[in-house]
Structures are given as structure tokens and as C-alpha cells.
Amino acid sequence: GENVEQHPSTLSVQEGDSAVIKCTYSDSASNYFPWYKQELGKRPQLIIDIRSNVGEKKDQRIAVTLNKTAKHFSLHITETQPEDSAVYFCAASMVDSSYKLIFGSGTRLLVRP
Amino acid sequence: EPEVTQTPSHQVTQMGQEVILRCVPISNHLYFYWYRQILGQKVEFLVSFYNNEISEKSEIFDDQFSVERPDGSNFTLKIRSTKLEDSAMYFCANAGTGSYGYTFGSGTRLTVV
């Protein structure tokens, strides 16, 4: 089955700097890759997603890139702010199947003011 | 924005007891899921449910677990005989046809003592 690896497990950046989180997946049939932000004790919230027919997607300070050949995708956050501090999870799915999400192990991002 | 509601928010139960976790999904979203998250770990897929039947389940979802839509709207997860290792946050999730983004519920924290 699908396996998603995520790194780093923790990331500390200065406010205003960029943060990059990377994920790799094992199943080449996966075609949907969402990113979730989870604050302590809260539900995961979708922040951006990308389908396999697109190489890059951007939404204001957040962007995701996908390399299908290498089977990896990355989250880029620019101009980080203290409120970006949270745990970020990548996930992979096949939308033509049961559409279950297989999550990475998470990255704890700390933005220092 | 439509929400997925879960009850209770926190449940404490004795080992061996049965628990039922409840979810009220978004009305026109037909794909239902249960995920769990052990404290400090990643979100793990349990089961997907579509057209009133299970479409896929993980190895975690053994004979102690069951799901149903008892009244066509609520979506429940039952654990027949809880174990200490069932202690986790359980999230219901919902997806609509043609929509790739999941909506996660607020979660139920299950503590087995």
C-alpha cells in the first residue's frame, strides 16, 4: 500500500523567513496530494492541495510543488508569521479509488517572532 | 462554511466497554471516513463508507470496529470492547462528489482507562 514519508519532523524559522516541508510517496498511482495544518487539540484543516496533472500551485504565501517522476511534493510557506506555527501534514490519495488519505508523520513548525 | 460535527468531544471509558462515536456530516457529501490520531502521532485511516457500505478499511479496523448510518444522516463508529491502545482522537471526515477536499470533524478524544 501507499507510504508517505515527511521531513523534517521539526522546523524552526525566524518570522519573515521561508519554510519548506518535503514529502515522498511510494505508490505511483496516487494522484491527489493535500496539505493540512493542525493546531494543538484541533482538527486538521486543508490549506492547499494539488492534483497530479499540475506541477505547482500557489495561494498567497503558500505554494505546493509536485514532481511525479521522483514521487515527491513540497510545501513552501513564504514570509512566515507566528500564527503559521502548527503541525503540518502532507497526504496522498487516489481519487478514483476509495479516496482514503495516507498521511505523513507531520512537521512541527515554529515561527519565532 | 459547512461543518462536520462530532459528539461527544471527550469520552472516558473503562477497558472492555463499548463506545459509540457520532458524526453529523455535511448533508450533500456522500463519502464518509473515520480516522484516528494517537497523541503526538500522524493521522491514520480507519475506514471509508459510501453508498451505505464500507468501501475500504485498514488493518486497524478489525472485528472490534463497526460503522453505520443508523438514520440516513448520522454516521457512527462503534468499538465493541475497548482496549487501552484505542485511546486516541477520532476524526470523522466527509467529502463530496467532484470535490477533492475533505472536511474533518472536530474530533472525539477517547480515553480508555
Side-chain angles (χ1 to χ4, degrees):
Chain A
E2 175 65 279
N3 183 50
V4 178
E5 301 284 338
Q6 182 173 348
H7 59 93
S9 56
T10 60
L11 180 60
S12 180
V13 300
Q14 194 71 38
E15 182 178 359
D17 287 350
S18 295
V20 180
I21 303 171
K22 298 182 180 181
C23 288
T24 60
Y25 60 99
S26 60
D27 192 338
S28 56
S30 290
N31 54 14
Y32 173 65
F33 307 93
W35 286 88
Y36 285 85
K37 176 183 181 182
Q38 188 179 35
E39 296 175 345
L40 190 62
K42 301 283 184 64
R43 77 188 82 188
Q45 292 202 301
L46 179 70
I47 56 171
I48 195 167
D49 57 10
I50 192 168
R51 288 210 69 188
S52 58
N53 57 352
V54 176
E56 183 173 355
K57 184 176 177 182
K58 191 172 181 180
D59 183 5
Q60 298 182 346
R61 296 186 298 109
I62 296 173
V64 57
T65 59
L66 171 65
N67 183 327
K68 282 192 298 182
T69 304
K71 288 190 283 189
H72 66 70
F73 55 112
S74 301
L75 177 71
H76 304 251
I77 306 174
T78 58
E79 300 171 29
T80 52
Q81 302 165 2
E83 50 265 39
D84 294 330
S85 296
V87 179
Y88 290 80
F89 290 96
C90 62
S93 179
M94 283 179 272
V95 296
D96 301 322
S97 180
S98 71
Y99 186 23
K100 68 182 181 187
L101 294 177
I102 302 300
F103 283 83
S105 52
T107 296
R108 183 173 300 280
L109 174 65
L110 173 65
V111 181
R112 305 186 306 273
Chain B
E1 185 178 334
E3 284 204 350
V4 177
T5 307
Q6 288 185 242
T7 57
S9 57
H10 190 191
Q11 172 108 34
V12 181
T13 189
Q14 289 203 326
M15 191 168 54
Q17 295 296 303
E18 173 183 287
V19 295
I20 298 176
L21 311 183
R22 292 182 169 81
C23 172
V24 179
I26 297 169
S27 61
N28 59 348
H29 286 198
L30 303 179
Y31 296 85
F32 307 95
Y33 307 85
W34 284 100
Y35 287 80
R36 79 170 186 189
Q37 186 177 31
I38 295 170
L39 187 63
Q41 298 187 22
K42 66 180 176 182
V43 180
E44 298 175 288
F45 168 74
L46 292 179
V47 64
S48 58
F49 190 86
Y50 172 70
N51 205 23
N52 291 320
E53 61 182 24
I54 290 174
S55 52
E56 189 170 355
K57 58 185 180 180
S58 72
E59 292 177 353
I60 302 168
F61 195 89
D62 60 22
D63 292 345
Q64 295 299 313
F65 291 86
S66 62
V67 291
E68 62 177 9
R69 287 189 76 195
D71 55 11
S73 58
N74 295 321
F75 182 49
T76 64
L77 174 69
K78 181 192 290 186
I79 309 175
R80 289 189 184 82
S81 179
T82 51
K83 304 185 286 284
L84 294 176
E85 54 264 39
D86 293 327
S87 295
M89 183 74 102
Y90 288 81
F91 291 104
C92 167
N94 207 194
T97 305
S99 166
Y100 303 118
Y102 272 37
T103 300
F104 279 88
S106 49
T108 294
R109 180 168 298 284
L110 176 65
T111 302
V112 182
V113 297

